[in-house]
Amino acid sequence: MKTLPLSVCMSVVLAASPGFAQVTRVVDDDAHGSPTSCDDSTPTFATVAAAMSAAADGDTVLVCPGTYVENIDFKGKAITVRSVAGPAVTVLDGNAADSVVMFASGEGPGSILDGFTIRNGRSGFDTPGFGDGGGVRIANASPSIRGNVIVSNQACSGAGISIRFGSPAIESNTIADNLQTGCSGGTGGGGIAVVGNSTAVIRGNVISHNVLTSADGGGIALFAAGSPTIALNIISGNTASGLSPCAQGGGISMVNQSDATIAGNLIVGNRAGCGGGVYWLVPSGARGPQLTNNTLADNDSPVGSGVFADGFDVAALLTNNIVVAHAGQTAVFCGDFNDLNAPLFRFNNVWSASGIPYGGTCADQTGVSGNISADPLFVNSAAGDYHLLPNSPSVDVGDNGAGALPAIDLDGDPRVLDGDGDGLAVVDMGADEVAGVQAPLTVVVDVKPGSRRNTVNPRSKGMLAVAILTTKTFDAMAVNASTVRFGPASAVPARARFRDVNADGLPDLLLQFRVPTTGIACGATDVSLSGETLDGRAIQGSDVLRTVGCR
């Protein structure tokens, strides 16, 4: 959530153009305040709507903390309506009377809504919104919506935000817990609906736990939406249900000509009857969607856990994505409606632990055009952490020439980085770009007298499993001698060899790791392996390994 210090809005009059001035109009629930202090005794506006009515193009309406029970309409004005202290303490409550915020008079990018909690809107067939946009309704307009929390609103379509024939910028918002009510069917969109030709940009939002009871697109619905861009969003826990034979697209649904660019998103834990993560039905003559560097995982659908692809989608393209199926389900399913030609798959990791990677009319793409099928090794998907471990098979194996390749990942890390330390910067698959690595780090282990060289097989990676249990530390980590592995959990083994480094007549073990840029500490620490095993072989007597240095 965004916090805006009041000091950023101290200027009352700024030059705009000859003959005009920009004015800051303050709103406070006690009707007192000034551009420099909400505690000022100066009389001001008590409602947002009143300040907006007085504002002219170029003005700013600055809203002090409080809960404002009203429904506001920009009425074509190019004004900025911004909270002083962010959405946590500044609420626009629609009182279930209509859409909370309306843009329906040709507004453009200069009409800005920034920093509010927008809640308790309801758009039904008995309201001016006629069932569109419980939180925000956009019709034939292209405003800027950023930094808001849009929650607990109701509508037939676009319960959070509805866009009809407009190309707004929807950026850095949280759109959550909105609900479809008042109709059966409709164009859907629990979080956002985009209906009609659009180049809308939906970027950097969290779109979660929105619910459709009888429509498609739990998170986002695109209906004849033109060519919108959906980038760097977290789309999670949304539900589309109630339709026969199946509600489509728990995360995103696309029907009619919706040639969306979908890049760098994390689409997880969504649920639908068909296409738990993403569903599309491409009409004849349309390009279809392009998906680049998305992570789709643990979405739930009996037909296409991650992706359900259908229609005339031979030109639809999936590049550098990770698609992981829910337990027992098919990761990607291709339908047979109209056209049996499958979309194009390049450099994707499509994997199902207990199901199959590809189903329906889609042939298995594993081993073709850079596609693989392997556990991507997330850090902790059960806890919602879908970052890649450094030794993930999805690291440094993507296509740097992919269209719409994001310049950053969800964490803001730059793309492309050298993730495996081979000196070549190759993009990772999925929404996460693993941080770069240092040159390989060599750890020297002095084998003490009495140790037996044949207890260690330098050609096996079996011995390179980290051990963490006892109170001893090894390279600044606790060591569990019962399942000894050498090296920190984040290190990737490169090679091992023997050499008498310290000239004591005994072969020392040199283990080389690729480690994250944060590195590891190296110190002289004894580790007793008595009675334990290393590489599956018994360690005898008082055998001891000692780290004597890193190079």
Side-chain angles (χ1 to χ4, degrees), residues 202-216:
I202 301 170
R203 180 183 174 90
N205 305 281
V206 175
I207 303 169
S208 67
H209 298 98
N210 302 287
V211 176
L212 292 176
T213 54
S214 60
D216 303 324

Side-chain angles (χ1 to χ4, degrees), residues 4 69 123 159 171 194 196 199 218 244 247 256 264 277 362 367 374 378 418 497 518 520-521 529 547:
L4 298 176
V69 181
S123 182
E171 297 180 306
V194 184
T199 57
S244 179
N256 295 328
C362 270
F378 296 127
D418 176 12
R497 65 190 188 278
T518 52
I520 59 172
L529 306 178
T547 306

